[in-house]
Amino acid sequence: MAALAALVLLAACSSNPLATLNPFKDNENEADLGKIGFVKGFFGGVAVDEPRAALIGRDILSSGGSAADVAVAVTLTLAVTQSSSASLGGGGVCVVHDAKSGTTQSLDFLPGIPKSMAPGTARPNGVPSGIPNAVPSAVPGTIRGLALLHAKYGRLDWKELVSPAEKLARFGIQVSRALANDLKYLPPAVLEDPEFRRIFGGGANGPLVREGDTLKQLDLSAVLGRIRARGAGDFYTGVLARSFAAAAGKAGGGFTLTDLRAYTPLLRPTIQVPYIRNTVFHFPSTTGPNGVLAAQMMAMMIELNDWDGATPAERSHMMAEISARAYSNRTRWLREDGGTSAPAALLVSEDAAEQLLNGYDDSRHTPQTGSGSSFSTTGSRTGASFVAVDREGSAVACGLTLNNVFGTGKVAPGTGVLLSALPGPGGRGPDSLSAVLLVNPVHKVFHFAGAASGGPVAPSALVQIAVGAIMAGKGETLETAINARRAHNDGASGLTHYEQGMDAAIVNGLSERGHRNTPTALSGWPSGRTAV
């Protein structure tokens, strides 16, 4: 249904404390670091939306790689296997926990608005006025963001992390069902791009590739080969940067070589919500509302402190109420540029949670009167997400985006790189991503990692699964939390959306509390992909 057209994908990982594990046992020859099988026994875990990327991540962990190494290799692999949501021309967000130092940071490498673009030329949909037939793209952040992550937390050589994606692009992949489905819903304007048709359609008049077909991306493989051999800098300041900027200009432009050189990813403090026994929830501090939204909902759940003893109907009511309050309130602090009008720490504080919960009643629905309707909660079903944890207990949770399915739909000629759409007002595009880590800073270990993507309801789905996995009683597992049917209220339409297949008794319980219920097809809600 229209109110929840976005498909939200969630990857989650739950772990026991791992910081005491020695990553290199006596029988492991450090000279073999980087070879599959280097790590004996438990080597960590990876959960990702696409299976080949998961296998690449597994091999990196088996080779002795860190969680950050996995994030690099998985992101590049997704640029080949799930290019509708990930690309060298896009970007993303990550929450990163380093077990050795105990630090947890937010990494922002979202595709940016070109500084060379004249103020006022971008329309709300990201297409500039006064430029016929042009679809300008955002400045890519993927490669430089991954380079920063690798430089700070990586263990394996950069070449070993780029090579798997390069080989997949050169020798071909089987088109997945998810990629084939995304290709079915392309607008006509995208199909008119000759480079797009050449790669995904075998020529101007050829049919688009279908599930199971072999897809080779030789131009993209060549770009990855240069990045492997010459490093990330060549993509932003070297010969590759010049040719890429020129090719992007032919596809509609939007950024210049100067814009590429000026792009800077950011490592920042996370948005934090204290929990119990010295643990802290960490959310990304980036452009867009989703870090704050997820943190506010988690803060309200902690304040209510009633998930364990609640019935299934009461739990769905709680989720509908806290999502309605968070989403309807966001226009009071969310700026047009995606920033916040108040410090995030104040927006997610205990006092803020108490104010948001004012008037909450566990026996009835309280309609919200905020201006949430100014910002759509549907968005486009875009983005990919994954989490990784290594045997030392470091963890990374990431979301990737092109700000639209297949970005602008334009491929920079001769590169095979899909270009990202411009972000929209209020952080639209980045608002389809959400991530969280639960960390004990005293013992320097993490307990839960999750990431969600696919639309502005991502934080609602992420919080509901995290709460179900962490705050539930005995006998309830992460799998139980993922499989539970979810409820969401956008705080604007007055409707409470529930996942199709929800038990009738729960739906009736919502109705009895005054909710105006509407079912949502299963495909329009999170499908769990989990590693434990």
Side-chain angles (χ1 to χ4, degrees):
M1 41 186 299
L4 287 177
L7 172 65
V8 185
L9 304 173
L10 184 141
C13 179
S14 177
S15 96
N16 293 322
L18 302 173
T20 58
L21 290 177
N22 180 358
F24 307 112
K25 293 183 179 179
D26 293 337
N27 63 343
E28 291 172 348
N29 185 354
E30 200 162 334
D32 292 331
L33 179 66
K35 297 180 180 179
I36 296 175
F38 167 75
V39 178
K40 310 301 180 184
F42 174 75
F43 51 67
V46 57
V48 58
D49 296 339
E50 201 280 323
R52 277 156 299 190
L55 293 175
I56 295 298
R58 177 201 63 184
D59 290 346
I60 296 298
L61 288 171
S62 176
S63 303
S66 65
D69 289 329
V70 173
V72 174
V74 164
T75 298
L76 296 176
T77 299
L78 287 172
V80 177
T81 62
Q82 196 172 333
S83 47
S84 56
S85 299
S87 169
L88 305 188
V93 299
C94 295
V95 183
V96 186
H97 172 69
D98 178 55
K100 183 177 181 180
S101 64
T103 58
T104 305
Q105 294 178 295
S106 174
L107 173 61
D108 181 341
F109 56 103
L110 290 166
I113 296 177
K115 294 181 180 179
S116 60
M117 182 173 289
T121 60
R123 294 176 182 169
N125 62 1
V127 179
S129 59
I131 306 178
N133 302 319
V135 184
S137 56
V139 183
T142 298
I143 298 300
R144 194 161 265 179
L146 296 180
L148 175 58
L149 182 63
H150 177 257
K152 192 167 181 66
Y153 299 115
R155 181 181 299 135
L156 300 186
D157 189 87
W158 172 259
K159 296 179 181 179
E160 297 174 74
L161 307 179
V162 182
S163 181
E166 178 190 358
K167 292 177 180 177
L168 286 174
R170 177 180 302 160
F171 297 112
I173 61 168
Q174 280 192 314
V175 175
S176 67
R177 180 171 301 175
L179 180 58
N181 286 339
D182 284 341
L183 286 166
K184 291 179 182 178
Y185 299 104
L186 288 173
V190 174
L191 300 179
E192 294 173 2
D193 180 54
E195 281 294 297
F196 191 96
R197 290 303 301 245
R198 183 176 67 83
I199 296 170
F200 295 100
N205 299 315
L208 295 176
V209 292
R210 294 171 293 184
E211 180 184 355
D213 288 350
T214 298
L215 173 63
K216 294 184 179 181
Q217 301 170 75
L218 299 182
D219 290 341
L220 180 59
S221 175
V223 170
L224 286 166
R226 285 192 65 95
I227 293 170
R228 169 183 53 80
R230 299 174 179 271
D234 196 44
F235 190 81
Y236 290 88
T237 61
V239 174
L240 178 57
R242 292 180 181 275
S243 60
F244 178 61
K250 293 179 182 178
F255 62 83
T256 65
L257 178 60
T258 301
D259 292 322
L260 270 179
R261 290 174 171 171
Y263 182 87
T264 305
L266 298 173
L267 271 172
R268 294 185 281 208
T270 57
I271 300 173
Q272 301 182 23
V273 177
Y275 187 43
I276 60 173
R277 294 191 289 274
N278 296 319
T279 57
V280 178
F281 284 103
H282 292 267
F283 297 91
S285 176
T286 58
T287 300
N290 275 7
V292 172
L293 279 176
Q296 284 184 334
M297 286 189 284
M298 187 61 74
M300 282 188 275
M301 275 297 186
I302 294 171
E303 186 69 21
L304 288 174
N305 191 29
D306 196 29
W307 188 265
D308 185 11
T311 66
E314 289 169 340
R315 290 178 176 182
S316 292
H317 172 69
M318 273 191 277
M319 275 307 307
E321 292 299 285
I322 68 163
S323 57
R325 283 165 163 75
Y327 279 75
S328 67
N329 180 263
R330 64 178 175 171
T331 52
R332 298 174 184 172
W333 51 263
L334 181 61
R335 300 196 312 248
E336 279 283 292
D337 63 359
T340 62
S341 60
L346 293 179
L347 295 173
V348 304
S349 66
E350 186 175 342
D351 287 343
E354 290 178 353
Q355 292 176 17
L356 286 169
L357 287 170
N358 184 40
Y360 175 87
D361 189 331
D362 59 12
S363 65
R364 64 178 178 85
H365 170 57
T366 307
Q368 299 303 300
T369 58
S371 52
S373 58
S374 298
F375 292 88
S376 169
T377 58
T378 56
S380 59
R381 52 184 291 267
T382 179
S385 55
F386 65 88
V387 297
V389 53
D390 59 35
R391 63 183 299 182
E392 295 177 271
S394 295
V396 180
C398 298
L400 308 173
T401 187
L402 289 167
N403 292 329
N404 195 12
V405 178
F406 289 104
T408 64
K410 301 288 186 179
V411 177
T415 71
V417 177
L418 276 156
L419 301 173
S420 172
L422 294 172
R428 289 184 201 164
D431 69 351
S432 68
L433 309 177
S434 195
V436 65
L437 293 180
L438 177 62
V439 176
N440 185 321
V442 176
H443 299 291
K444 300 181 181 180
V445 296
F446 93 98
H447 297 281
F448 180 90
S453 59
V457 295
S460 178
L462 180 63
V463 169
Q464 185 157 345
I465 291 177
V467 168
I470 297 167
M471 300 182 185
K474 293 182 179 179
E476 297 183 74
T477 64
L478 179 59
E479 184 177 4
T480 304
I482 290 174
N483 291 333
R485 298 293 187 256
R486 289 172 275 280
H488 172 82
N489 189 303
D490 59 27
S493 67
L495 297 174
T496 293
H497 306 275
Y498 65 90
E499 190 174 358
Q500 203 167 65
M502 179 178 282
D503 189 277
I506 301 177
V507 178
N508 290 336
L510 289 171
S511 297
E512 292 168 358
R513 288 172 171 80
H515 291 269
R516 292 171 52 206
N517 299 325
T518 182
T520 299
L522 186 61
S523 62
W525 268 89
S527 58
R529 289 170 172 86
T530 178
V532 178

